[in-house]
Amino acid sequence: DVKVTQSSRYLVKRTGEKVFLECVQDMDHENMFWYRQDPGLGLRLIYFSYDVKMKEKGDIPEGYSVSREKKERFSLILESASTNQTSMYLCASSGGGLGTEAFFGQGTRLTVV
Amino acid sequence: RKEVEQDPGPFNVPEGATVAFNCTYSNSASQSFFWYRQDCRKEPKLLMSVYSSGNEDGRFTAQLNRASQYISLLIRDSKLSDSATYLCAAKGNAGNNRKLIWGLGTSLAVNP
């Protein structure tokens, strides 16, 4: 079974803190993604990576950065957390090719107070 | 206009009913499509992939209509456990085929 694991299910952080969300996949997938999901707004892509040390901005990259030093690990960084970054964060991975689906981690519910 | 659009619902149906959702996409070069199921406060999980004209898995049938640029999901004999949000996704063309483009989801409630 493909496994995508996020480091925390729930996090509470203070405004201005630097926040790290970690994601690890065990299927040697090329592509990894970070989304946030808010009611009524669906899945919004923050950043994705198609190779080690490669990254591309998604639809809402402002206030976030990412790191992919190893193929299996993709980290999302909130440089200075703000209350409008309170959300569900979902990591996903997929193999190359047109037909390959994405597999999701269990999600991290982040609250910034 | 969003690249992938779904009717948000909610669809409220009785147990045993047949229900169908549509999902339209704007990029005619999209090659592969997916239906995911998402339970409340959980991650999306793959329900079905659709590459050619269609796919069937038990009570679930997915179809692709390239001429009209939509995919559909048909659920027969609905169960209470089918209550969830159903997300549609399209994979981009060759130049941008690494990421999925998502609809906002369709909410289904199956009632006793």
Side-chain angles (χ1 to χ4, degrees):
Chain A
D1 262 4
V2 174
K3 198 148 177 132
V4 180
T5 304
Q6 294 182 227
S7 49
S8 307
R9 287 297 301 270
Y10 301 96
L11 271 181
V12 180
K13 295 292 182 181
R14 295 197 180 277
T15 301
E17 275 192 82
K18 191 167 187 175
V19 181
F20 293 86
L21 302 183
E22 306 284 348
C23 175
V24 177
Q25 51 96 2
D26 65 359
M27 279 301 289
D28 201 35
H29 281 165
E30 300 172 3
N31 308 310
M32 295 189 75
F33 309 86
W34 275 106
Y35 296 94
R36 65 177 282 177
Q37 189 174 35
D38 302 286
L41 298 179
L43 285 166
R44 292 185 290 168
L45 183 64
I46 304 171
Y47 268 98
F48 70 103
S49 168
Y50 53 88
D51 202 351
V52 175
K53 296 192 188 296
M54 303 300 288
K55 61 186 179 187
E56 284 200 22
K57 293 180 180 179
D59 302 315
I60 51 163
E62 296 79 20
Y64 303 94
S65 62
V66 291
S67 171
R68 193 163 180 203
E69 296 296 316
K70 294 185 177 182
K71 191 174 186 179
E72 68 270 18
R73 187 179 296 270
F74 192 36
S75 303
L76 179 70
I77 304 141
L78 286 66
E79 298 290 344
S80 176
S82 63
T83 54
N84 64 12
Q85 292 179 308
T86 292
S87 187
M88 170 72 105
Y89 289 87
L90 287 156
C91 174
S93 73
S94 72
L98 286 171
T100 52
E101 68 267 30
F103 296 87
F104 283 85
Q106 78 276 31
T108 297
R109 189 162 293 278
L110 172 68
T111 302
V112 183
V113 298
Chain B
R1 185 188 168 192
K2 284 184 68 66
E3 283 192 62
V4 175
E5 289 198 80
Q6 296 181 250
D7 181 345
F11 284 66
N12 284 283
V13 302
E15 265 186 295
T18 294
V19 61
F21 311 134
N22 277 348
C23 168
T24 58
Y25 61 95
S26 60
N27 185 349
S28 59
S30 295
Q31 295 293 316
S32 49
F33 306 88
F34 306 90
W35 281 106
Y36 280 73
R37 172 201 169 116
Q38 186 174 24
D39 294 298
C40 189
R41 303 176 87 83
K42 296 283 185 74
E43 74 274 21
K45 293 186 178 177
L46 181 69
L47 182 64
M48 300 185 79
S49 306
V50 190
Y51 307 123
S52 54
S53 59
N55 194 8
E56 185 171 328
D57 183 5
R59 298 183 294 109
F60 298 85
T61 301
Q63 293 201 308
L64 168 61
N65 184 318
R66 286 197 186 276
S68 301
Q69 293 186 206
Y70 73 86
I71 64 171
S72 62
L73 178 67
L74 182 77
I75 305 175
R76 290 180 294 276
D77 188 23
S78 300
K79 312 289 184 195
L80 295 176
S81 58
D82 293 333
S83 298
T85 297
Y86 291 83
L87 300 170
C88 166
K91 205 155 192 183
N93 59 14
N96 188 22
N97 67 353
R98 298 182 181 276
K99 61 180 184 176
L100 289 166
I101 310 300
W102 296 90
L104 294 183
T106 297
S107 175
L108 171 66
V110 180
N111 305 304

